[in-house]
Each structure stands twice: as structure tokens, then as C-alpha cells.
Amino acid sequence: MELTEKTKDVSVIIVNYNTKQLLKDCLTSIYEKTDSIDFEVIVSDNGSHDGSAEMCLEYFPQVRLIENNANLGFGAANNRGLAVATGKYIFYLNSDTVLLNNAIKIFFDYFESHADENLGAIGCNLKDVNGGGYLHSYGEIIPLKKQLGGLFHTLLGITKDTLLYIISGFKKQEIVIDTSANFFIGTVPFVTGADLFVRNDEYAKFDESFFLYKEEDDLQMRMHKASLESRLIAGPEIIHLEGGSAKKHYYKVFYLASLHDQENFISWCKFYEKHENRPFQIFLLKIVITLIWLNPLIVKDTYKNIPRLFKKNNGI
């Protein structure tokens, strides 16, 4: 029998990188809450060194463990799971999630009952760590022109703040990141990759040129070009532990050197190169990002990623 023959209803694919306890809690919730559906769980481990693989083998021998032995990135690791998945549907699930009900069955039944619609991807309103509020569960596609203008203003702002910092040591601007969101049901630009439920077909594969961030935007953009819709549905209940609804405080100059922001900028550039035919504006965007990264306070952490900004996208 071919590994890719569809013999299950759903294949749950979880990418893991050094999240042993979170992964254990996630897997426990899957097996405790999932019922009346034929499913498999595939863990694609990106070279964890915290005992994640050993934990899977000891506590969840039924899990199909893929040991990548290196950090391949989010999309590539998911694709390794997709390559061996036998489900009719694929459920991409973050390791820092906990299922509160029979969410997988609810997703499956919804897709099956809407088979006559142009449905490409579905997700749910993710709950915060307390289970009371809701988190970022879908996103907008920021227009290139707006992104360029916003980053130009950021460049001007951090240049001013850097001068103040150097002259007086005064860290002027503090930003607040709030992950809370309102409950929403219906069509969305894209469902977040934390709980992405799709058919096991040609649109389920990620573009591996995106190392981290925007890969789910790109995947669903390809769906939308084929007139397939992304949608949030009611019913599934999943907690996402991405900092809960707590607010985090950073000084903006230093936050722009974080792994999150560096990978975010690189992925946005790749996204625009694929989906917008505006090479001059994209080039300007890369120049503005480069100038941000050359800030003397953060350049030691950012200079190494400047070549990646200008690297050609050879993905799907």
C-alpha cells in the first residue's frame, strides 16, 4: 500500500521544535477529545534537543514521528508530514494548542457537508490560555503600498529614537503587542496556521522558500486564485498558548531585531514577489528594511539576514 493512499479521514500534522511539554499536552488533548472519526497524528520534529522525540515514542507510540534532524522551518516540516499523510483532509495544528472538544470531527463534518461549495481552508476562533477570550485567528493581506509606507515611518521613528538613546540613554518608545481579538464567523482573507484544516490535495503543500511566517498566507492566496474560500467556523474549541491575551512590552528598536520581526520582513518580501508584479516597490521595501536593520543598536543581530532579503524566491 502506498503511504499517500487516503485511508484515514484526517491527518493531523504538528511541527515541533523544542516544545516537549506543550507537545505532550497537545497530543494528550487530541487523543482525549477526538472521537467517532478515523484519524492519524504525524509529528514532524525539527531537530529538537529537549527530549521531544523520546517523549513521543514513550507516551504516544501511535504517533507517526518524523525526525528531520535539523530546523527545516515551518512549511518544510509540514510538507514532510504531508508527504506521508493518508488522510482525506489535513489538519495543520500548532504544538502550543489544546483541544477542548471534538474539534477534528467538527471540522471534518463541516467540510463534508459543504462539499458543493468552493471551500479551501477552515479554522476556528482560537481561545486564550484562560479559555475566556479570543486570540488572533485570521489575518488580512496588507497591501504592498501600505506596508512600504508603514515601514518608512518606522524607519524615521526609530532613527529619531536611536539618536535620543545614544545622546541621553532615553528609551523613548515602548510598544504593546496585544494578541486579543473579537469572535468572528465567516469568510476571511486567511486562516492562521495554528489550526488550518484543508483538503489533502495540491493546495495543501507549503512553499518551502518561506522559512517562518506568511506560509499560510501564501498557501491560501494560491487557493483564492483558484476561487477557493477561507472561512472561520463555529463549533471547534481550541486554546492557543501564544502568550495568551497578555500584553508584552518591548522597546521598538530592539524588537525590530527579534527573530519574529526579521523572519516576518523576509517573508513579506517573498510574498509580494510571488503575488504582486511591482518590482520597483518591492525593491524599495527591501531597501527600507535594510536601512532599519543597519541601525547601530541592532545591526550586530540583523546584518546576517540582509542577503536573505534579496535572495530570489525559488518556491512553488
Side-chain angles (χ1 to χ4, degrees):
M1 179 184 295
E2 295 291 333
L3 284 174
T4 53
E5 183 179 344
K6 296 179 178 63
T7 60
K8 301 286 186 181
D9 294 325
V10 179
S11 295
V12 183
I13 301 178
I14 302 172
V15 173
N16 178 69
Y17 182 62
N18 292 325
T19 62
K20 176 182 174 181
Q21 188 58 52
L22 291 174
L23 176 63
K24 185 177 181 181
D25 294 342
C26 178
L27 292 172
T28 298
S29 74
I30 290 172
Y31 288 110
E32 285 183 351
K33 300 297 183 180
T34 308
D35 189 29
S36 303
I37 189 169
D38 191 10
F39 73 101
E40 64 181 351
V41 178
I42 302 168
V43 171
S44 184
D45 186 76
N46 268 344
S48 296
H49 47 77
D50 65 345
S52 292
E54 293 79 4
M55 180 276 295
C56 280
L57 293 171
E58 180 179 356
Y59 292 97
F60 304 97
Q62 68 272 51
V63 165
R64 301 180 66 181
L65 176 65
I66 299 173
E67 296 188 65
N68 298 314
N69 299 317
N71 189 356
L72 304 181
F74 183 77
N78 271 313
N79 285 348
R80 299 303 180 272
L82 179 65
V84 301
T86 66
K88 180 180 179 181
Y89 295 96
I90 301 296
F91 185 32
Y92 293 118
L93 186 66
N94 273 19
S95 64
D96 61 343
T97 57
V98 175
L99 274 58
L100 299 179
N101 66 358
N102 198 2
I104 297 172
K105 178 68 160 57
I106 297 170
F107 280 129
F108 175 81
D109 288 345
Y110 187 94
F111 233 121
E112 290 285 283
S113 64
H114 293 77
D116 58 340
E117 300 179 16
N118 291 328
L119 193 57
I122 57 176
C124 68
N125 286 271
L126 297 167
K127 295 190 171 186
D128 66 22
V129 66
N130 300 313
Y134 294 97
L135 301 178
H136 165 73
S137 303
Y138 70 96
E140 304 284 344
I141 304 297
I142 301 174
L144 173 55
K145 185 177 180 180
K146 182 178 180 181
Q147 184 80 274
L148 180 57
L151 284 180
F152 182 72
H153 284 292
T154 295
L155 173 61
L156 295 179
I158 68 168
T159 300
K160 177 183 175 183
D161 290 346
T162 299
L163 290 173
L164 288 170
Y165 181 92
I166 292 173
I167 293 169
S168 65
F170 177 56
K171 301 173 184 179
K172 183 175 187 294
Q173 186 173 10
E174 186 177 50
I175 63 171
V176 177
I177 297 178
D178 188 354
T179 57
S180 62
N182 294 322
F183 185 87
F184 180 82
I185 296 296
T187 302
V188 295
F190 68 89
V191 175
T192 182
D195 69 321
L196 183 62
F197 196 97
V198 300
R199 290 188 183 88
N200 188 353
D201 60 18
E202 67 270 24
Y203 296 109
K205 187 175 182 179
F206 287 101
D207 181 344
E208 296 185 12
S209 68
F210 293 86
F211 180 77
L212 190 64
Y213 304 120
K214 304 301 172 233
E215 52 278 286
E216 71 265 38
D217 307 37
D218 171 69
L219 181 146
Q220 290 171 79
M221 179 64 79
R222 286 183 273 121
M223 287 181 174
H224 299 166
K225 289 179 178 179
S227 300
L228 298 174
E229 178 183 320
S230 298
R231 189 180 299 172
L232 289 187
I233 70 169
E237 295 184 2
I238 300 174
I239 287 177
H240 191 197
L241 302 172
E242 58 155 10
S245 59
K247 297 180 179 180
K248 299 180 180 180
H249 300 262
Y250 299 90
Y251 293 112
K252 192 165 187 177
V253 175
F254 300 106
Y255 181 69
L256 291 168
S258 67
L259 171 65
H260 171 277
D261 254 33
Q262 290 188 65
E263 293 296 341
N264 222 8
F265 285 160
I266 292 169
S267 293
W268 269 123
C269 290
K270 291 180 181 295
F271 182 86
Y272 291 131
E273 284 178 327
K274 284 191 67 173
H275 300 291
E276 295 207 30
N277 186 24
R278 297 179 181 177
F280 181 68
Q281 289 189 19
I282 294 170
F283 177 73
L284 286 180
L285 181 68
K286 292 180 179 182
I287 293 299
V288 172
I289 294 170
T290 298
L291 292 174
I292 289 173
W293 284 354
L294 289 176
N295 185 290
L297 298 181
I298 62 174
V299 66
K300 67 182 186 302
D301 299 317
T302 56
Y303 77 92
K304 60 186 177 297
N305 273 327
I306 292 175
R308 290 179 61 203
L309 274 179
F310 295 89
K311 186 178 179 181
K312 185 178 180 181
N313 187 345
N314 295 316
I316 59 177

